[in-house]
Amino acid sequence: MLTSLAYILLLGLLLGALAGKLRLPPLIGMIAAGILLGPSCLNLLSPTLLGISADLRQLALIIILTRAGLSLDVATLKRVGRPAVLMCFLPACFEIAGMVVLAPRLLGVSVLDAAIMGAVVGAVSPAVIVPRMLKVTEEGYGTDKGIPQLVLAGASVDDVSVIVMFTMFTGLASGQGASPLTLAGVPVSIVSGALVGLGLGAVLAAFFKKFHMRDSVKVVILLSLAFLLVAAEDALEGRFPFSGLLAVMGMGVGLQRFRGEVALRLSAKFSKLWVAAEVALFVLVGAAVDLKYAAAAGVAAVLAVLGALCFRAVGVLLCVAGSGFSRREKLFCVLSYLPKATVQAAIGGVPLAMGLGCGQIVLTVAVIAILVTAPLGALAIDVSYKRLLTKAK
């Protein structure tokens, strides 16, 4: 496992730097490193490491969402208002609807199978989007109107509603049925996660004020509590809707609200942790890609993914209609909501593992979605933000 970790970090850094030299997002090189090292090509990664790959990816996601919470300007987000709420679920619903329309015609699947496929590809990737929105925020582009904050918050909540819909559709396909209570759990999980996170952040702010300790120790405490919040989501599954990842971000927001100077220092610490976590995350996402499935799907799967993205773009434009954003700013919101990676890598193989007839094609389309949208979306954000957004004075 240690040898595999060395391969992941060294080759991930090398190909990431090479991609940067070519003026491409480093994550493209990192995903390529994962594909090379993974079972599809050289097969150099330990099966033990691949067995805990999902946990390692979640660890990296926790790090970047904690950093996002510590940096999120809630006051600006409040001014954005309605679009911020709509971005949490409307674009994903449009993309699922798009896949339901397109997939039966392009791929010959049933409407229910298309809905499962849409739910798998419908979630954007916080791991791709969040660090880019933090960079845009730090450089001051679009911050006057809260555009990067809007995208950041929406991308962090989007996954919750999509995964609930995925659970409903797979339940129907396996004959278990789907309860309306499951869908009602979406807003409950969002509210409960946000409230618990904000409350815990306020408690931490008071604790750090009373007890003085090194910032490195505070980082350890924050990470440990974040792990417990994510574990609480698993423990409460089926009993009470709760979003652990949203609570993680809420904890950072609460700490920033009550101890801003501490949050600023801790955000810098988490930026350093992200250097290694980012490499591990995207190399492991690449390792989860099976090129045989991608090649077997052919042009039809690519067209289905790209067509569904067009539906998503309409959903994003409806969210920001009447927001006072310019056409360029609305275009940036559309481009920012393209990347997919982590959720698709996590749940793409679930229908196959459940023995559903659509399992193979769903996994194939999930792989295609990663290969097409992660590099395309990351590149679109990196290239466009200085052209489409206005820098704050």
Side-chain angles (χ1 to χ4, degrees):
M1 191 184 292
L2 291 177
T3 305
S4 298
L5 282 172
Y7 289 154
I8 285 171
L9 294 173
L10 291 174
L11 190 60
L13 286 171
L14 176 63
L15 295 189
L18 182 60
K21 290 288 185 183
L22 297 173
R23 297 191 176 182
L24 297 171
L27 74 84
I28 294 177
M30 295 172 193
I31 291 176
I35 294 172
L36 281 173
L37 292 171
S40 291
C41 289
L42 301 177
N43 196 23
L44 294 176
L45 298 181
S46 157
T48 308
L49 182 67
L50 291 174
I52 61 168
S53 173
D55 297 300
L56 293 175
R57 293 198 302 268
Q58 192 170 51
L59 170 60
L61 199 54
I62 286 171
I63 289 171
I64 194 59
L65 286 178
T66 307
R67 183 188 165 202
L70 293 168
S71 308
L72 185 62
D73 187 347
V74 179
T76 306
L77 191 60
K78 283 181 181 177
R79 291 202 303 270
V80 177
R82 176 187 58 85
V85 176
L86 293 178
M87 288 284 275
C88 295
F89 66 91
L90 194 60
C93 290
F94 266 74
E95 187 165 9
I96 293 172
M99 192 62 80
V100 168
V101 171
L102 297 172
R105 292 166 175 79
L106 291 171
L107 301 170
V109 298
S110 69
V111 170
L112 181 56
D113 290 348
I116 294 172
M117 196 178 296
V120 169
V121 303
V124 292
S125 174
V128 179
I129 295 172
V130 170
R132 278 165 174 74
M133 290 307 108
L134 291 175
K135 179 185 176 185
V136 172
T137 302
E138 287 165 2
E139 294 184 19
Y141 284 91
T143 51
D144 285 346
K145 294 185 178 179
I147 295 170
Q149 294 93 328
L150 164 70
V151 175
L152 191 155
S156 303
V157 180
D158 172 88
D159 298 352
V160 178
S161 53
V162 169
I163 289 173
V164 169
M165 286 188 277
F166 171 75
T167 304
M168 286 183 61
F169 295 144
T170 51
L172 285 170
S174 60
Q176 298 172 7
S179 167
L181 291 175
T182 306
L183 192 58
V186 175
V188 176
S189 66
I190 291 171
V191 172
S192 62
L195 290 178
V196 168
L198 289 169
L200 188 55
V203 170
L204 280 174
F207 179 78
F208 291 153
K209 185 176 182 179
K210 186 171 183 180
F211 299 98
H212 297 284
M213 61 191 74
R214 294 171 57 190
D215 285 343
S216 299
V217 176
K218 293 172 184 172
V219 167
V220 172
I221 292 172
L222 269 178
L223 275 179
S224 301
L225 291 174
F227 298 158
L228 291 175
L229 288 171
V230 172
E233 179 178 354
D234 294 333
L236 292 171
E237 188 175 357
R239 288 182 283 178
F240 184 78
F242 177 74
S243 172
L245 290 176
L246 192 57
V248 168
M249 194 167 78
M251 179 173 62
V253 171
L255 183 57
Q256 183 215 57
R257 172 69 179 80
F258 296 102
R259 292 283 287 171
E261 70 284 0
V262 173
L264 188 63
R265 296 198 308 269
L266 293 184
S267 178
K269 293 279 188 183
F270 274 93
S271 297
K272 294 174 182 176
L273 281 177
W274 177 242
V275 172
E278 179 184 32
V279 177
L281 172 62
F282 290 114
V283 173
L284 289 171
V285 165
V289 168
D290 193 321
L291 293 180
K292 290 180 182 176
Y293 293 147
V299 178
V302 175
L303 290 176
V305 169
L306 293 177
L309 285 179
C310 294
F311 280 78
R312 169 176 279 274
V314 174
V316 173
L317 291 174
L318 284 176
C319 292
V320 297
S323 60
F325 294 172
S326 68
R327 288 182 180 179
R328 289 187 171 194
E329 290 164 341
K330 290 177 181 177
L331 176 58
F332 177 78
C333 292
V334 170
L335 296 176
S336 298
Y337 248 44
L338 294 180
K340 302 163 190 304
T342 41
V343 175
Q344 289 68 35
I347 67 174
V350 171
L352 185 63
M354 292 174 67
L356 299 181
C358 64
Q360 189 71 67
I361 188 64
V362 168
L363 178 58
T364 302
V365 172
V367 170
I368 293 287
I370 294 171
L371 292 175
V372 172
T373 66
L376 181 66
L379 184 61
I381 296 170
D382 291 349
V383 168
S384 70
Y385 75 94
K386 291 184 179 179
R387 295 181 175 89
L388 300 179
L389 302 180
T390 304
K391 190 167 185 176
K393 295 180 181 178

